[in-house]
Amino acid sequence: MPRYRFSISAVFGLLFFSQSAVYAEDAYTLTIKDHQFAPAELKVPAGQKIKLVVINEDGTPEEFESKSLKREKVVAGKSRITLSLGPLHPGAYDFVGEFHEASAKGRIVAE
Ligand SMILES: [Cu+2]
């Protein structure tokens, strides 16, 4: 069944290609602990797509929210999310943890 084998390898080739494309984007990490973000200011490159991983080390859920980035996503306690961002114009993009806005604040600086 040569034709069948060919299509299987074509599928795996496509899978490999798309996975490579995903991992080619730079990944940046924000950690939530004691209802604060670390780092509070995260520098990322402007003009290219990035992955933002938000790790919540607290036992309670938090919501990553940024009006300027147009993103809003709940991160369950002891869990993580990944967001695709950009390409961003140079500038500062504020974000908060909406469930603990008094302490959970930060900004992404694209440059
Ligand atoms: Cu919200």
Side-chain angles (χ1 to χ4, degrees):
M1 302 214 278
R3 179 175 274 194
Y4 180 70
R5 273 210 308 274
F6 174 78
S7 53
I8 288 288
S9 63
V11 166
F12 275 105
L14 278 173
L15 275 175
F16 179 77
F17 181 78
S18 54
Q19 288 287 308
S20 306
V22 165
Y23 289 115
E25 291 171 27
D26 289 343
Y28 296 84
T29 301
L30 285 172
T31 301
I32 301 163
K33 194 174 184 193
D34 300 327
H35 312 306
Q36 293 183 316
F37 286 101
E41 183 173 294
L42 180 66
K43 290 206 165 107
V44 303
Q48 70 178 68
K49 287 189 174 193
I50 60 160
K51 292 275 179 200
L52 179 66
V53 181
V54 184
I55 301 170
N56 185 3
E57 292 187 351
D58 289 335
T60 53
E62 187 53 273
E63 184 179 70
F64 176 90
E65 175 157 330
S66 172
K67 290 189 170 67
S68 50
L69 291 168
K70 300 188 180 74
R71 288 294 189 287
E72 183 173 27
K73 195 164 185 182
V74 171
V75 195
K78 304 289 181 191
S79 184
R80 66 175 64 197
I81 58 164
T82 303
L83 299 169
S84 295
L85 298 179
L88 297 174
H89 293 293
Y93 301 83
D94 289 340
F95 59 81
V96 295
E98 203 186 8
F99 298 160
H100 305 88
E101 260 189 88
S103 59
K105 304 168 193 282
R107 55 170 27 184
I108 287 170
V109 177
E111 56 184 29

mmCIF file of all heavy atoms in Angstrom, residues 40-84:
data_model
loop_
_atom_site.group_PDB
_atom_site.id
_atom_site.type_symbol
_atom_site.label_atom_id
_atom_site.label_comp_id
_atom_site.label_asym_id
_atom_site.label_seq_id
_atom_site.Cartn_x
_atom_site.Cartn_y
_atom_site.Cartn_z
ATOM 1 N N ALA A 40 7.525 42.079 37.384
ATOM 2 C CA ALA A 40 6.448 43.055 37.250
ATOM 3 C C ALA A 40 6.566 43.781 35.914
ATOM 4 O O ALA A 40 5.586 44.296 35.389
ATOM 5 C CB ALA A 40 6.495 44.057 38.397
ATOM 6 N N GLU A 41 7.786 43.850 35.385
ATOM 7 C CA GLU A 41 7.975 44.416 34.043
ATOM 8 C C GLU A 41 8.715 43.395 33.198
ATOM 9 O O GLU A 41 9.819 42.973 33.545
ATOM 10 C CB GLU A 41 8.765 45.721 34.109
ATOM 11 C CG GLU A 41 8.895 46.360 32.740
ATOM 12 C CD GLU A 41 9.522 47.747 32.797
ATOM 13 O OE1 GLU A 41 8.908 48.663 33.362
ATOM 14 O OE2 GLU A 41 10.645 47.884 32.293
ATOM 15 N N LEU A 42 8.074 43.003 32.101
ATOM 16 C CA LEU A 42 8.639 41.969 31.239
ATOM 17 C C LEU A 42 8.977 42.592 29.891
ATOM 18 O O LEU A 42 8.104 43.139 29.221
ATOM 19 C CB LEU A 42 7.610 40.845 31.063
ATOM 20 C CG LEU A 42 8.013 39.671 30.184
ATOM 21 C CD1 LEU A 42 9.162 38.882 30.820
ATOM 22 C CD2 LEU A 42 6.814 38.745 29.954
ATOM 23 N N LYS A 43 10.250 42.498 29.517
ATOM 24 C CA LYS A 43 10.667 43.041 28.217
ATOM 25 C C LYS A 43 10.554 41.963 27.144
ATOM 26 O O LYS A 43 11.019 40.838 27.339
ATOM 27 C CB LYS A 43 12.110 43.542 28.303
ATOM 28 C CG LYS A 43 12.220 44.798 29.159
ATOM 29 C CD LYS A 43 13.422 45.644 28.752
ATOM 30 C CE LYS A 43 13.294 47.027 29.357
ATOM 31 N NZ LYS A 43 14.208 47.264 30.456
ATOM 32 N N VAL A 44 9.931 42.343 26.032
ATOM 33 C CA VAL A 44 9.789 41.415 24.903
ATOM 34 C C VAL A 44 10.160 42.162 23.623
ATOM 35 O O VAL A 44 10.119 43.394 23.593
ATOM 36 C CB VAL A 44 8.345 40.855 24.801
ATOM 37 C CG1 VAL A 44 7.919 40.171 26.091
ATOM 38 C CG2 VAL A 44 7.353 41.933 24.404
ATOM 39 N N PRO A 45 10.493 41.422 22.582
ATOM 40 C CA PRO A 45 10.833 42.112 21.329
ATOM 41 C C PRO A 45 9.582 42.629 20.620
ATOM 42 O O PRO A 45 8.557 41.946 20.576
ATOM 43 C CB PRO A 45 11.528 41.031 20.511
ATOM 44 C CG PRO A 45 11.032 39.739 21.055
ATOM 45 C CD PRO A 45 10.705 39.974 22.500
ATOM 46 N N ALA A 46 9.674 43.847 20.083
ATOM 47 C CA ALA A 46 8.593 44.388 19.254
ATOM 48 C C ALA A 46 8.687 43.772 17.863
ATOM 49 O O ALA A 46 9.738 43.299 17.449
ATOM 50 C CB ALA A 46 8.722 45.904 19.182
ATOM 51 N N GLY A 47 7.552 43.731 17.189
ATOM 52 C CA GLY A 47 7.551 43.363 15.775
ATOM 53 C C GLY A 47 7.634 41.885 15.471
ATOM 54 O O GLY A 47 7.851 41.511 14.318
ATOM 55 N N GLN A 48 7.452 41.048 16.472
ATOM 56 C CA GLN A 48 7.417 39.610 16.193
ATOM 57 C C GLN A 48 6.476 38.916 17.150
ATOM 58 O O GLN A 48 6.221 39.381 18.260
ATOM 59 C CB GLN A 48 8.821 38.992 16.301
ATOM 60 C CG GLN A 48 9.373 38.921 17.724
ATOM 61 C CD GLN A 48 10.744 38.268 17.760
ATOM 62 O OE1 GLN A 48 11.723 38.827 17.266
ATOM 63 N NE2 GLN A 48 10.808 37.087 18.322
ATOM 64 N N LYS A 49 5.942 37.792 16.686
ATOM 65 C CA LYS A 49 5.022 37.037 17.531
ATOM 66 C C LYS A 49 5.776 36.395 18.678
ATOM 67 O O LYS A 49 6.904 35.940 18.505
ATOM 68 C CB LYS A 49 4.337 35.941 16.706
ATOM 69 C CG LYS A 49 3.305 36.480 15.761
ATOM 70 C CD LYS A 49 2.519 35.338 15.151
ATOM 71 C CE LYS A 49 1.390 35.908 14.305
ATOM 72 N NZ LYS A 49 0.414 34.895 13.934
ATOM 73 N N ILE A 50 5.140 36.363 19.837
ATOM 74 C CA ILE A 50 5.741 35.693 20.991
ATOM 75 C C ILE A 50 4.688 34.832 21.685
ATOM 76 O O ILE A 50 3.487 35.016 21.478
ATOM 77 C CB ILE A 50 6.311 36.700 22.017
ATOM 78 C CG1 ILE A 50 5.211 37.610 22.550
ATOM 79 C CG2 ILE A 50 7.444 37.507 21.415
ATOM 80 C CD1 ILE A 50 5.562 38.270 23.859
ATOM 81 N N LYS A 51 5.181 33.930 22.493
ATOM 82 C CA LYS A 51 4.325 33.150 23.384
ATOM 83 C C LYS A 51 4.519 33.695 24.780
ATOM 84 O O LYS A 51 5.657 33.913 25.209
ATOM 85 C CB LYS A 51 4.742 31.677 23.389
ATOM 86 C CG LYS A 51 4.496 30.972 22.094
ATOM 87 C CD LYS A 51 3.088 30.473 22.026
ATOM 88 C CE LYS A 51 2.834 29.781 20.692
ATOM 89 N NZ LYS A 51 1.413 29.712 20.399
ATOM 90 N N LEU A 52 3.420 33.916 25.489
ATOM 91 C CA LEU A 52 3.499 34.323 26.882
ATOM 92 C C LEU A 52 2.920 33.197 27.735
ATOM 93 O O LEU A 52 1.754 32.832 27.587
ATOM 94 C CB LEU A 52 2.711 35.619 27.107
ATOM 95 C CG LEU A 52 2.714 36.124 28.549
ATOM 96 C CD1 LEU A 52 4.108 36.537 28.987
ATOM 97 C CD2 LEU A 52 1.737 37.283 28.705
ATOM 98 N N VAL A 53 3.762 32.661 28.613
ATOM 99 C CA VAL A 53 3.331 31.608 29.531
ATOM 100 C C VAL A 53 3.082 32.266 30.882
ATOM 101 O O VAL A 53 3.956 32.971 31.393
ATOM 102 C CB VAL A 53 4.405 30.509 29.656
ATOM 103 C CG1 VAL A 53 3.943 29.402 30.609
ATOM 104 C CG2 VAL A 53 4.735 29.929 28.285
ATOM 105 N N VAL A 54 1.892 32.098 31.433
ATOM 106 C CA VAL A 54 1.564 32.651 32.749
ATOM 107 C C VAL A 54 1.374 31.484 33.710
ATOM 108 O O VAL A 54 0.465 30.667 33.544
ATOM 109 C CB VAL A 54 0.292 33.524 32.702
ATOM 110 C CG1 VAL A 54 0.035 34.155 34.067
ATOM 111 C CG2 VAL A 54 0.404 34.597 31.631
ATOM 112 N N ILE A 55 2.275 31.416 34.683
ATOM 113 C CA ILE A 55 2.267 30.312 35.649
ATOM 114 C C ILE A 55 1.686 30.830 36.962
ATOM 115 O O ILE A 55 2.188 31.807 37.522
ATOM 116 C CB ILE A 55 3.696 29.791 35.896
ATOM 117 C CG1 ILE A 55 4.316 29.306 34.588
ATOM 118 C CG2 ILE A 55 3.689 28.670 36.945
ATOM 119 C CD1 ILE A 55 5.805 28.987 34.695
ATOM 120 N N ASN A 56 0.648 30.204 37.443
ATOM 121 C CA ASN A 56 0.033 30.600 38.713
ATOM 122 C C ASN A 56 0.464 29.623 39.808
ATOM 123 O O ASN A 56 0.010 28.482 39.837
ATOM 124 C CB ASN A 56 -1.491 30.617 38.567
ATOM 125 C CG ASN A 56 -2.180 31.126 39.816
ATOM 126 O OD1 ASN A 56 -1.527 31.527 40.777
ATOM 127 N ND2 ASN A 56 -3.501 31.108 39.802
ATOM 128 N N GLU A 57 1.324 30.082 40.676
ATOM 129 C CA GLU A 57 1.796 29.219 41.772
ATOM 130 C C GLU A 57 0.889 29.303 42.989
ATOM 131 O O GLU A 57 1.056 28.546 43.941
ATOM 132 C CB GLU A 57 3.238 29.599 42.148
ATOM 133 C CG GLU A 57 4.227 29.265 41.040
ATOM 134 C CD GLU A 57 5.677 29.470 41.447
ATOM 135 O OE1 GLU A 57 5.924 30.029 42.522
ATOM 136 O OE2 GLU A 57 6.549 29.075 40.657
ATOM 137 N N ASP A 58 -0.041 30.258 42.978
ATOM 138 C CA ASP A 58 -0.991 30.344 44.084
ATOM 139 C C ASP A 58 -2.023 29.214 43.990
ATOM 140 O O ASP A 58 -2.240 28.653 42.919
ATOM 141 C CB ASP A 58 -1.704 31.701 44.064
ATOM 142 C CG ASP A 58 -0.786 32.843 44.467
ATOM 143 O OD1 ASP A 58 0.202 32.583 45.193
ATOM 144 O OD2 ASP A 58 -1.047 33.996 44.060
ATOM 145 N N GLY A 59 -2.662 28.964 45.103
ATOM 146 C CA GLY A 59 -3.671 27.913 45.120
ATOM 147 C C GLY A 59 -5.040 28.380 44.641
ATOM 148 O O GLY A 59 -5.961 27.575 44.508
ATOM 149 N N THR A 60 -5.170 29.685 44.388
ATOM 150 C CA THR A 60 -6.450 30.244 43.962
ATOM 151 C C THR A 60 -6.341 30.743 42.528
ATOM 152 O O THR A 60 -5.261 31.095 42.062
ATOM 153 C CB THR A 60 -6.842 31.437 44.862
ATOM 154 O OG1 THR A 60 -5.756 32.376 44.883
ATOM 155 C CG2 THR A 60 -7.116 30.960 46.288
ATOM 156 N N PRO A 61 -7.449 30.785 41.800
ATOM 157 C CA PRO A 61 -7.393 31.239 40.402
ATOM 158 C C PRO A 61 -7.093 32.727 40.286
ATOM 159 O O PRO A 61 -7.359 33.502 41.204
ATOM 160 C CB PRO A 61 -8.787 30.919 39.858
ATOM 161 C CG PRO A 61 -9.660 30.761 41.043
ATOM 162 C CD PRO A 61 -8.802 30.329 42.180
ATOM 163 N N GLU A 62 -6.510 33.087 39.167
ATOM 164 C CA GLU A 62 -6.258 34.486 38.846
ATOM 165 C C GLU A 62 -6.712 34.706 37.414
ATOM 166 O O GLU A 62 -6.800 33.742 36.640
ATOM 167 C CB GLU A 62 -4.761 34.805 38.996
ATOM 168 C CG GLU A 62 -4.398 36.269 38.855
ATOM 169 C CD GLU A 62 -5.207 37.173 39.776
ATOM 170 O OE1 GLU A 62 -6.310 37.586 39.372
ATOM 171 O OE2 GLU A 62 -4.737 37.446 40.890
ATOM 172 N N GLU A 63 -7.009 35.956 37.075
ATOM 173 C CA GLU A 63 -7.327 36.240 35.683
ATOM 174 C C GLU A 63 -6.321 37.221 35.126
ATOM 175 O O GLU A 63 -6.241 38.359 35.598
ATOM 176 C CB GLU A 63 -8.736 36.808 35.525
ATOM 177 C CG GLU A 63 -9.081 36.993 34.049
ATOM 178 C CD GLU A 63 -10.484 37.534 33.825
ATOM 179 O OE1 GLU A 63 -10.716 38.704 34.151
ATOM 180 O OE2 GLU A 63 -11.315 36.779 33.327
ATOM 181 N N PHE A 64 -5.561 36.773 34.139
ATOM 182 C CA PHE A 64 -4.655 37.680 33.436
ATOM 183 C C PHE A 64 -5.513 38.565 32.553
ATOM 184 O O PHE A 64 -6.262 38.074 31.712
ATOM 185 C CB PHE A 64 -3.655 36.892 32.581
ATOM 186 C CG PHE A 64 -2.756 37.780 31.761
ATOM 187 C CD1 PHE A 64 -1.552 38.231 32.276
ATOM 188 C CD2 PHE A 64 -3.126 38.172 30.478
ATOM 189 C CE1 PHE A 64 -0.722 39.064 31.524
ATOM 190 C CE2 PHE A 64 -2.316 39.000 29.725
ATOM 191 C CZ PHE A 64 -1.111 39.447 30.253
ATOM 192 N N GLU A 65 -5.436 39.878 32.765
ATOM 193 C CA GLU A 65 -6.252 40.784 31.967
ATOM 194 C C GLU A 65 -5.442 41.988 31.518
ATOM 195 O O GLU A 65 -4.756 42.627 32.319
ATOM 196 C CB GLU A 65 -7.463 41.271 32.754
ATOM 197 C CG GLU A 65 -8.248 42.311 31.963
ATOM 198 C CD GLU A 65 -9.694 42.445 32.391
ATOM 199 O OE1 GLU A 65 -10.278 41.453 32.850
ATOM 200 O OE2 GLU A 65 -10.216 43.559 32.267
ATOM 201 N N SER A 66 -5.492 42.260 30.222
ATOM 202 C CA SER A 66 -4.817 43.432 29.673
ATOM 203 C C SER A 66 -5.704 44.044 28.608
ATOM 204 O O SER A 66 -5.956 43.428 27.571
ATOM 205 C CB SER A 66 -3.463 43.059 29.072
ATOM 206 O OG SER A 66 -2.923 44.184 28.394
ATOM 207 N N LYS A 67 -6.188 45.246 28.886
ATOM 208 C CA LYS A 67 -7.030 45.919 27.885
ATOM 209 C C LYS A 67 -6.197 46.285 26.665
ATOM 210 O O LYS A 67 -6.653 46.155 25.539
ATOM 211 C CB LYS A 67 -7.668 47.164 28.506
ATOM 212 C CG LYS A 67 -8.727 46.812 29.541
ATOM 213 C CD LYS A 67 -9.507 48.036 29.985
ATOM 214 C CE LYS A 67 -10.725 47.647 30.823
ATOM 215 N NZ LYS A 67 -10.353 47.049 32.116
ATOM 216 N N SER A 68 -4.944 46.743 26.903
ATOM 217 C CA SER A 68 -4.145 47.194 25.761
ATOM 218 C C SER A 68 -3.707 46.018 24.880
ATOM 219 O O SER A 68 -3.495 46.189 23.683
ATOM 220 C CB SER A 68 -2.936 48.008 26.226
ATOM 221 O OG SER A 68 -2.225 47.335 27.233
ATOM 222 N N LEU A 69 -3.572 44.827 25.482
ATOM 223 C CA LEU A 69 -3.227 43.641 24.689
ATOM 224 C C LEU A 69 -4.484 42.907 24.212
ATOM 225 O O LEU A 69 -4.385 41.934 23.461
ATOM 226 C CB LEU A 69 -2.368 42.678 25.512
ATOM 227 C CG LEU A 69 -0.951 43.139 25.849
ATOM 228 C CD1 LEU A 69 -0.332 42.230 26.900
ATOM 229 C CD2 LEU A 69 -0.079 43.178 24.604
ATOM 230 N N LYS A 70 -5.645 43.357 24.693
ATOM 231 C CA LYS A 70 -6.926 42.704 24.363
ATOM 232 C C LYS A 70 -6.897 41.212 24.722
ATOM 233 O O LYS A 70 -7.274 40.341 23.935
ATOM 234 C CB LYS A 70 -7.267 42.880 22.880
ATOM 235 C CG LYS A 70 -7.411 44.338 22.460
ATOM 236 C CD LYS A 70 -7.934 44.430 21.028
ATOM 237 C CE LYS A 70 -8.093 45.861 20.568
ATOM 238 N NZ LYS A 70 -6.811 46.525 20.275
ATOM 239 N N ARG A 71 -6.438 40.941 25.934
ATOM 240 C CA ARG A 71 -6.401 39.550 26.396
ATOM 241 C C ARG A 71 -7.009 39.456 27.785
ATOM 242 O O ARG A 71 -6.827 40.354 28.618
ATOM 243 C CB ARG A 71 -4.960 39.028 26.468
ATOM 244 C CG ARG A 71 -4.314 38.784 25.137
ATOM 245 C CD ARG A 71 -4.998 37.648 24.386
ATOM 246 N NE ARG A 71 -4.250 37.276 23.194
ATOM 247 C CZ ARG A 71 -4.188 38.015 22.087
ATOM 248 N NH1 ARG A 71 -4.833 39.157 22.023
ATOM 249 N NH2 ARG A 71 -3.481 37.615 21.048
ATOM 250 N N GLU A 72 -7.698 38.380 28.036
ATOM 251 C CA GLU A 72 -8.355 38.138 29.315
ATOM 252 C C GLU A 72 -8.501 36.636 29.436
ATOM 253 O O GLU A 72 -9.199 36.015 28.641
ATOM 254 C CB GLU A 72 -9.728 38.822 29.272
ATOM 255 C CG GLU A 72 -10.526 38.737 30.532
ATOM 256 C CD GLU A 72 -11.790 39.582 30.422
ATOM 257 O OE1 GLU A 72 -12.282 39.794 29.296
ATOM 258 O OE2 GLU A 72 -12.271 40.018 31.469
ATOM 259 N N LYS A 73 -7.789 36.046 30.399
ATOM 260 C CA LYS A 73 -7.853 34.586 30.498
ATOM 261 C C LYS A 73 -7.609 34.151 31.933
ATOM 262 O O LYS A 73 -6.672 34.615 32.571
ATOM 263 C CB LYS A 73 -6.816 33.957 29.567
ATOM 264 C CG LYS A 73 -7.040 32.480 29.326
ATOM 265 C CD LYS A 73 -6.254 31.987 28.124
ATOM 266 C CE LYS A 73 -6.585 30.530 27.832
ATOM 267 N NZ LYS A 73 -5.835 29.988 26.722
ATOM 268 N N VAL A 74 -8.451 33.266 32.407
ATOM 269 C CA VAL A 74 -8.323 32.758 33.770
ATOM 270 C C VAL A 74 -7.201 31.719 33.825
ATOM 271 O O VAL A 74 -7.064 30.887 32.927
ATOM 272 C CB VAL A 74 -9.659 32.141 34.242
ATOM 273 C CG1 VAL A 74 -9.476 31.413 35.575
ATOM 274 C CG2 VAL A 74 -10.730 33.220 34.356
ATOM 275 N N VAL A 75 -6.395 31.823 34.882
ATOM 276 C CA VAL A 75 -5.350 30.829 35.146
ATOM 277 C C VAL A 75 -5.746 30.141 36.450
ATOM 278 O O VAL A 75 -5.730 30.776 37.514
ATOM 279 C CB VAL A 75 -3.964 31.482 35.333
ATOM 280 C CG1 VAL A 75 -2.877 30.418 35.239
ATOM 281 C CG2 VAL A 75 -3.726 32.610 34.342
ATOM 282 N N ALA A 76 -6.108 28.899 36.376
ATOM 283 C CA ALA A 76 -6.513 28.168 37.583
ATOM 284 C C ALA A 76 -5.352 28.107 38.578
ATOM 285 O O ALA A 76 -4.190 28.283 38.196
ATOM 286 C CB ALA A 76 -6.958 26.757 37.197
ATOM 287 N N GLY A 77 -5.666 27.885 39.852
ATOM 288 C CA GLY A 77 -4.625 27.729 40.861
ATOM 289 C C GLY A 77 -3.702 26.573 40.515
ATOM 290 O O GLY A 77 -4.140 25.567 39.965
ATOM 291 N N LYS A 78 -2.399 26.765 40.788
ATOM 292 C CA LYS A 78 -1.393 25.723 40.509
ATOM 293 C C LYS A 78 -1.476 25.256 39.059
ATOM 294 O O LYS A 78 -1.466 24.059 38.765
ATOM 295 C CB LYS A 78 -1.560 24.525 41.450
ATOM 296 C CG LYS A 78 -1.513 24.874 42.929
ATOM 297 C CD LYS A 78 -0.122 25.261 43.378
ATOM 298 C CE LYS A 78 -0.081 25.595 44.860
ATOM 299 N NZ LYS A 78 1.212 26.218 45.216
ATOM 300 N N SER A 79 -1.564 26.236 38.144
ATOM 301 C CA SER A 79 -1.762 25.890 36.743
ATOM 302 C C SER A 79 -1.090 26.935 35.864
ATOM 303 O O SER A 79 -0.524 27.902 36.378
ATOM 304 C CB SER A 79 -3.265 25.836 36.470
ATOM 305 O OG SER A 79 -3.508 25.420 35.158
ATOM 306 N N ARG A 80 -1.151 26.734 34.570
ATOM 307 C CA ARG A 80 -0.536 27.692 33.656
ATOM 308 C C ARG A 80 -1.346 27.804 32.381
ATOM 309 O O ARG A 80 -2.080 26.889 32.019
ATOM 310 C CB ARG A 80 0.905 27.306 33.334
ATOM 311 C CG ARG A 80 1.034 26.020 32.539
ATOM 312 C CD ARG A 80 2.465 25.745 32.129
ATOM 313 N NE ARG A 80 3.337 25.526 33.283
ATOM 314 C CZ ARG A 80 4.663 25.585 33.238
ATOM 315 N NH1 ARG A 80 5.276 25.842 32.105
ATOM 316 N NH2 ARG A 80 5.377 25.359 34.325
ATOM 317 N N ILE A 81 -1.192 28.961 31.712
ATOM 318 C CA ILE A 81 -1.800 29.165 30.398
ATOM 319 C C ILE A 81 -0.716 29.668 29.454
ATOM 320 O O ILE A 81 0.321 30.160 29.896
ATOM 321 C CB ILE A 81 -2.949 30.201 30.424
ATOM 322 C CG1 ILE A 81 -2.447 31.557 30.937
ATOM 323 C CG2 ILE A 81 -4.126 29.689 31.241
ATOM 324 C CD1 ILE A 81 -3.386 32.706 30.644
ATOM 325 N N THR A 82 -0.977 29.549 28.176
ATOM 326 C CA THR A 82 -0.084 30.120 27.167
ATOM 327 C C THR A 82 -0.908 31.013 26.251
ATOM 328 O O THR A 82 -1.969 30.613 25.789
ATOM 329 C CB THR A 82 0.596 29.015 26.345
ATOM 330 O OG1 THR A 82 1.302 28.148 27.227
ATOM 331 C CG2 THR A 82 1.570 29.602 25.341
ATOM 332 N N LEU A 83 -0.418 32.219 26.047
ATOM 333 C CA LEU A 83 -1.080 33.166 25.150
ATOM 334 C C LEU A 83 -0.157 33.463 23.976
ATOM 335 O O LEU A 83 1.057 33.549 24.159
ATOM 336 C CB LEU A 83 -1.360 34.482 25.883
ATOM 337 C CG LEU A 83 -2.279 34.443 27.101
ATOM 338 C CD1 LEU A 83 -2.220 35.767 27.847
ATOM 339 C CD2 LEU A 83 -3.703 34.164 26.662
ATOM 340 N N SER A 84 -0.738 33.639 22.800
ATOM 341 C CA SER A 84 0.027 34.108 21.640
ATOM 342 C C SER A 84 -0.175 35.604 21.528
ATOM 343 O O SER A 84 -1.299 36.087 21.525
ATOM 344 C CB SER A 84 -0.475 33.440 20.368
ATOM 345 O OG SER A 84 -0.231 32.063 20.421
#
